Amino acid sequence: MRDAIVIGSGISGMVTAIKLAEAGVHVLLASPFPSERSQSVMAAGGINAVMSRHEEGDSVSAHIEDTLKGGCYLAGEEAVKGLCESAEEIIEYLEGIGVVFSVDEAGRPARRAVGGHSYRRTCYCGSSTGKQIVSALVMEARRLEAAGLIKRALGKCFHSALIKDGVCYGALFFDEAFGNISAEYTDVVVVATGGQNALFGKTTGSTQCDGYTAGELFMQGVELKNLEFVQFHPTTIETSQKRMLVSEAARGEGGRLFYMDNGERVYFMEEKYGPKGNLMPRDIVSREIYSAGKDVFLDVSFLKDSDIESRLPEVRDLCKKYIGIDIAKEPIPVAPSVHFFMGGIAVHKNHETNIRDLFAVGECASMYHGANRLGGNSLLAAVHSGMIAAREIAGRDTKEDRPDFSSAAEEANRMLDKMKDTKSVFPVMYIRDMASETMNKSMGIIRSEESINEGIKDIDYYLSVAERLSYDNSVLPYFNYSLTGILTLARAALSCAESRKESRGAHYRSDHPDTLDDYAAATVISYENGQYKVRFDKENEYES
Ligand SMILES: Cc1cc2nc3c(=O)[nH]c(=O)nc-3n(C[C@H](O)[C@H](O)[C@H](O)COP(=O)(O)OP(=O)(O)OC[C@H]3O[C@@H](n4cnc5c(N)ncnc54)[C@H](O)[C@@H]3O)c2cc1C
């Protein structure tokens, strides 16, 4: 294998690039912004691993079972087994490149409790785990950059993949510095572009991760999976731009949820689910908060000041900065918000898509989390998937012939120029806002046939508007050309939600509240001649 392009430079993209470069592959690591601004830096809670250094009853098989159970048995058993079995090695790799984990009295990585886990197994670096992992990976990437193996290219936004006869040969990128679209050829493309936040507007995630890549690839023939499973995090606070996460660590350290009734605190999670009620899986806590129909608060004020200082410093700073609350003295007003996408690009166990030489890793790929993700498992999956993909790719042959796609780049530039000649009557961002409002209403915490069909009607209308849309010169060209891909992804998600006539994990249908054996399979969706085709992957074809 001679070269590869990795699109997206969060944790999964960087791990892929580093491992490929270490195997001698030349990598173009492309993203609009530096890694230090990727969503990965926001991860606060930690990364899961059962370490042989820790005895206390936990085991890798318990981690596997918790992950499968949390995902309502939709995630592939083999894939989850590989994920959990690799966790200890991943922690050791991260320690080896300079990630400093918080330690317990015995000097071993300390672990905190996180919802849905039967043991404390979430390793953390204070409350800045993601930041520390990104920093260490950036240093590794720089070392390989100096060796001429990684080229980091900033200001590059994915436009489309170069695919011929079911094989990928590269990608078109919009270059923010030059304002044009150019073709990059390669042996293998790895997509590592994160979640699909633009579908829901204000979420806890990064606005950089808008889902466009998944939507565009879908239109180009790539299959997507499990799009109906969108995780709502139960404890977020409202700010003007986005929702900010109050880390699960706050409940892991003993935080209690309550609402007020007749002047009395009602600890509704503990009343319904017992002493561990506050740490129930995220979908259950989110639904309970939503169904309570009252203002809900999270209380950590009974913890010792020193514990808040050492274990929850970022939660303390966040609440002080954004809502002026001192968590050592007052409860935090919280509400659920979209936080993570279990669904995404369908990949085989080696992380290749249904298009040869096109891979997907990290949050943009759907593999390990089934119907719901356990906290701490996505950082693990980001590192693990990058390692798996790199191992597979490094062993592949270099492509002898590469078809010429220069006409595709010319056509894309012509489209961009044509858009620039006219002014839009519909501002692009207005349509994006309307679409996200639709998605929040139709595919929120609780959905129904009626709400989903309303959503489909609205998104189909926005798609028809987008087709007639001309250039909105008040926003970057990227926002113009990405609109159709984002709307198509939204439409595909609604089709998945419509097809799954049951409730499972993060997908709750008020008209079909039960979990049914008939639907015990992943949802796979493809796009054929403008039609959205959903099937249930009962044969587990994506497990091979
Ligand atoms: C607030 C918050 C807290 C979290 N805490 C935890 C936690 O404690 N533990 C845990 O396990 N998980 C946590 N998660 C989830 C976890 O952080 C993510 O799933 C993980 O970091 C995703 O990594 P990634 O490499 O897949 O993507 P990201 O880190 O999101 O990186 C995506 C990259 O793709 C680039 N990109 C996007 N679109 C394009 C495009 N069109 N063209 C080119 N490049 C593009 C971006 O610029 C970026 O470089 C948290 C998430 C949030 C939002």
Side-chain angles (χ1 to χ4, degrees), residues 7-13 31-32 38-40 42-46 156-158 192-194 204-205 208-209 213 245 339-340 362-363 373 376-379 382 478:
I7 308 171
S9 63
I11 288 176
S12 65
S31 59
S38 65
Q39 179 177 298
S40 289
M42 296 179 189
K156 277 197 180 292
C157 303
F158 174 78
T193 48
T204 62
Q208 282 174 52
C209 304
T213 309
L245 183 78
H339 177 58
F340 185 84
E363 190 173 339
R373 169 189 74 113
N377 266 357
S378 55
L379 285 183
Y478 174 77

Side-chain angles (χ1 to χ4, degrees), residues 462-479:
Y462 300 135
L463 271 165
S464 73
V465 172
E467 269 169 28
R468 289 177 274 129
L469 196 75
S470 42
Y471 192 70
D472 180 350
N473 52 16
S474 65
V475 295
L476 292 169
Y478 174 77
F479 288 110

Side-chain angles (χ1 to χ4, degrees), residues 150-301:
I150 291 182
K151 183 176 165 206
R152 290 194 294 163
L154 295 180
K156 277 197 180 292
C157 303
F158 174 78
H159 177 276
S160 50
L162 300 176
I163 299 171
K164 190 162 191 275
D165 300 330
V167 182
C168 182
Y169 292 90
L172 294 186
F173 287 97
F174 172 71
D175 196 313
E176 284 176 341
F178 299 103
N180 68 348
I181 291 167
S182 59
E184 296 282 351
Y185 298 94
T186 187
D187 289 321
V188 162
V189 170
V190 183
V191 176
T193 48
Q196 309 157 16
N197 295 299
L199 299 197
F200 291 88
K202 263 189 182 183
T203 72
T204 62
S206 163
T207 49
Q208 282 174 52
C209 304
D210 56 11
Y212 164 69
T213 309
E216 171 61 29
L217 290 174
F218 177 62
M219 290 193 288
Q220 291 193 272
V222 173
E223 293 192 318
L224 306 181
K225 201 173 126 188
N226 287 344
L227 297 178
E228 66 275 37
F229 297 112
V230 176
Q231 182 172 83
F232 286 76
H233 195 289
T235 56
T236 73
I237 55 173
E238 171 101 42
T239 70
S240 58
Q241 298 296 320
K242 65 195 290 283
R243 305 278 323 179
M244 304 293 283
L245 183 78
V246 177
S247 166
E248 200 152 295
R251 283 176 294 132
E253 297 301 338
R256 303 176 76 191
L257 288 161
F258 73 90
Y259 58 72
M260 297 302 291
D261 193 29
N262 285 328
E264 298 283 318
R265 284 186 178 196
V266 178
Y267 292 99
F268 57 101
M269 290 307 295
E270 292 161 53
E271 279 187 7
K272 189 157 177 184
Y273 299 97
K276 281 193 166 181
N278 295 294
L279 276 174
M280 290 299 283
R282 291 172 183 180
D283 59 316
I284 296 178
V285 184
S286 294
R287 268 200 304 281
E288 293 294 345
I289 293 178
Y290 179 83
S291 305
K294 293 180 187 264
D295 292 338
V296 167
F297 300 85
L298 176 63
D299 189 14
V300 291
S301 63

Side-chain angles (χ1 to χ4, degrees), residues 111-136:
R111 291 141 305 138
R112 59 169 48 122
V114 165
H117 290 279
S118 46
Y119 292 91
R120 283 179 175 257
R121 58 169 77 104
T122 306
C123 306
Y124 57 95
C125 314
S127 44
S128 59
T129 312
K131 230 176 260 173
Q132 305 241 11
I133 296 176
V134 168
S135 301

